[in-house]
């Protein structure tokens, strides 16, 4: 089994390998590396995904004592050393976000970007501490079944997912579970230091999160200088990566690929409007986030554009000409995993002499459903109906 000897602990980890950018996923309290299975399935072919079990969790072999999230940050950095990784994107849920923020403070040169899911930078209020104290003692005295009915609904809120994690808890010593909650209770306040963390950061938060309410996610968005935005997952609770993986994966993949927040497009009929909004905003990254890997585009002049570099150059060239596009969906035919989207379009651009030049036509576009359930263009095939000064 893959273990890394770090700071006197034997950290269990799993690594998809490959030559892609490295992304390290850090789990929440009372969870383990398996909470990231939907994300690794969606991203593992493009990114080198590393998941690991923190102390007192999963398969990691530790001394059994209490620790701080600064210790966990050092564990994460030591795991990077073990893997020979100089720099990685850090994705953390709840306590995984606590330690990821501290890793960025401890060694900013090792962190390329941050994705913080339902996490915070402050200490717990008294009411929350009292509740967690009761959970810790409940684990210690009665084991998982003594606390599961309330706690699993608070953390997950889906019966099918609840049962899976109750089995995970039953496989752990009750004292270990109790101590893990005690560590959570001891988190310190680093909100005054958020301004030091300058890496690009995406904040993802469940709209209905009870343990870490949405305003704490908004605080991260407001105070992290590199925050690109806050993606609120509608109707999700504390663990949207498990309960709403499609929505989370769409945001996560757009950020890791392009550094942007891209709302998940879960209906191919919405792609033309998303393309229109992104192009009219002159946001190349948002436009490119709507293209699937390996997408092909034909220009009005008949030139075929393929490959990520060529697509980027084409989009950036259009944006340099100050585009304004209007798309009207004519037909959508959806098959199993693919869709034909027929669109009437009108486009104006700045001409060489500064005049506006207009074109219009019909595009027969093909879209594909990604592993995360969202839709992206694979073929953009516009037909022009003439170009004239506007």
């Amino acid at each position: 089994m893959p273990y890394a000897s770090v700071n006197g602990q034997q950290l269990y980890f799993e690594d998809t390998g490959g030559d892609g950018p490295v992304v390290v996923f850090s789990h929440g309290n009372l969870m383990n590396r398996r909470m990231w299975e939907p994300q690794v399935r969606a991203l593992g072919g493009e990114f080198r995904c590393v998941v690991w079990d923190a102390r007192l969790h999963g398969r990691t072999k530790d001394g059994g004592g209490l620790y701080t999230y600064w210790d966990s940050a050092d564990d994460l950095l030591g795991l990077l050393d073990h893997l020979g990784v100089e720099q990685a994107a850090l994705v953390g849920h709840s306590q995984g976000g606590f330690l990821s923020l501290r890793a960025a403070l401890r060694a900013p040169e090792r962190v390329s970007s941050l994705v913080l899911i339902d996490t915070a930078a402050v200490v717990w209020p008294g009411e929350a501490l009292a509740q967690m104290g009761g959970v810790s003692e409940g684990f210690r005295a009665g084991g998982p079944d003594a606390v599961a009915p309330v706690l699993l609904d608070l953390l997950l809120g889906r019966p099918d997912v609840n049962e899976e994690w109750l089995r995970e808890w039953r496989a752990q010593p009750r004292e270990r579970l109790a101590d893990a909650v005690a560590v959570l209770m001891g988190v310190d306040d680093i909100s005054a230091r958020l301004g030091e963390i300058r890496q690009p950061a995406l904040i993802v938060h469940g709209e209905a999160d009870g343990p870490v309410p949405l305003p704490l996610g908004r605080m991260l968005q407001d105070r992290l200088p590199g925050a690109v935005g806050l993606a609120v997952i509608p109707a999700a609770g504390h663990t949207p990566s498990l309960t709403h993986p499609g929505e989370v994966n769409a945001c996560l993949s757009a950020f890791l690929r392009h550094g942007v927040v891209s709302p998940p497009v879960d209906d191919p009929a919405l792609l033309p409007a998303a393309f229109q909004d992104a192009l009219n905003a002159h946001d190349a990254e948002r436009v490119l986030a709507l293209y699937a890997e390996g997408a092909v585009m034909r220009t009005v002049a008949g030139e075929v554009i393929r490959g990520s570099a060529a697509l980027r150059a084409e989009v950036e060239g259009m944006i340099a000409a100050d585009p304004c596009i209007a798309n009207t969906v004519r037909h959508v035919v959806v098959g199993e995993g693919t869709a034909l989207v027929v669109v009437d379009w009108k486009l104006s651009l700045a001409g060489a002499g500064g005049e506006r030049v207009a074109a219009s036509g019909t595009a027969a576009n093909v879209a594909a459903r990604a592993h995360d359930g969202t839709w992206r263009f694979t073929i953009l095939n516009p037909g022009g109906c003439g170009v004239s000064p506007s």
Side-chain angles (χ1 to χ4, degrees), residues 275-283 287 319 322-327 347:
F275 184 91
Q276 171 185 301
D277 292 346
L279 190 64
N280 290 345
H282 297 181
D283 191 331
V287 173
I319 286 174
D322 188 24
C324 180
I325 193 170
N327 286 327
L347 173 67

Side-chain angles (χ1 to χ4, degrees), residues 158-171:
R158 266 184 48 184
D160 55 329
V161 182
N162 288 3
E163 185 60 34
E164 177 184 355
W165 286 94
L166 178 56
R167 289 195 297 270
E168 293 283 343
W169 291 355
R170 286 169 175 163

Side-chain angles (χ1 to χ4, degrees), residues 231-248:
V232 178
I233 308 301
H238 183 61
T239 316
S241 55
L242 274 171
T243 59
H244 296 69
E247 292 93 327
V248 171

